[in-house]
Amino acid sequence: MKGILDRFEDTNKAVILMEETKEEVVIPAELLPEGSSENTYFNMEKINDEYQIVSIDEATTQKEAEKSSDLMAKLRAKNKGSKFKKK
């Protein structure tokens, strides 16, 4: 099961969105694997009704970062500047 680190709240809580179940999981930030940051994908498993991080999914994290970067590049290429004149 995959989860993505969506955001940090109150400086010590991490919010992970579970893709398959559409759930939001809040865990203490200190339980995150080293190197975790927003938009990091995790391999997760559910044990005793609680989600636990098994590992960072490096391949998915990299793939999604590249996809995002490509979309931003396309948007920048389309931008023809402001319609307002500068004074």
Side-chain angles (χ1 to χ4, degrees):
M1 186 174 310
K2 301 256 188 259
I4 182 171
L5 178 54
D6 183 55
R7 65 188 180 278
F8 292 96
E9 290 183 345
D10 301 329
T11 67
N12 61 349
K13 293 185 180 164
V15 179
I16 299 173
L17 303 179
M18 303 303 297
E19 292 183 331
E20 291 176 29
T21 60
K22 308 290 187 227
E23 292 179 81
E24 190 175 273
V25 179
V26 179
I27 65 168
E30 63 264 12
L31 295 180
L32 293 173
E34 192 163 323
S36 298
S37 61
E38 289 179 357
N39 299 320
T40 298
Y41 280 81
F42 300 109
N43 293 311
M44 310 278 293
E45 64 180 33
K46 195 170 191 175
I47 300 172
N48 298 330
D49 290 332
E50 287 188 25
Y51 288 102
Q52 293 183 359
I53 298 171
V54 176
S55 63
I56 292 177
D57 186 340
E58 299 283 351
T60 303
T61 300
Q62 174 100 14
K63 185 177 94 178
E64 293 299 322
E66 287 172 4
K67 214 183 331 182
S68 210
S69 181
D70 289 346
L71 286 172
M72 288 302 293
K74 286 179 184 177
L75 285 171
R76 285 187 191 107
K78 277 185 162 183
N79 187 5
K80 297 187 180 175
S82 176
K83 294 178 183 179
F84 296 96
K85 294 182 181 179
K86 292 183 181 181
K87 284 190 171 188

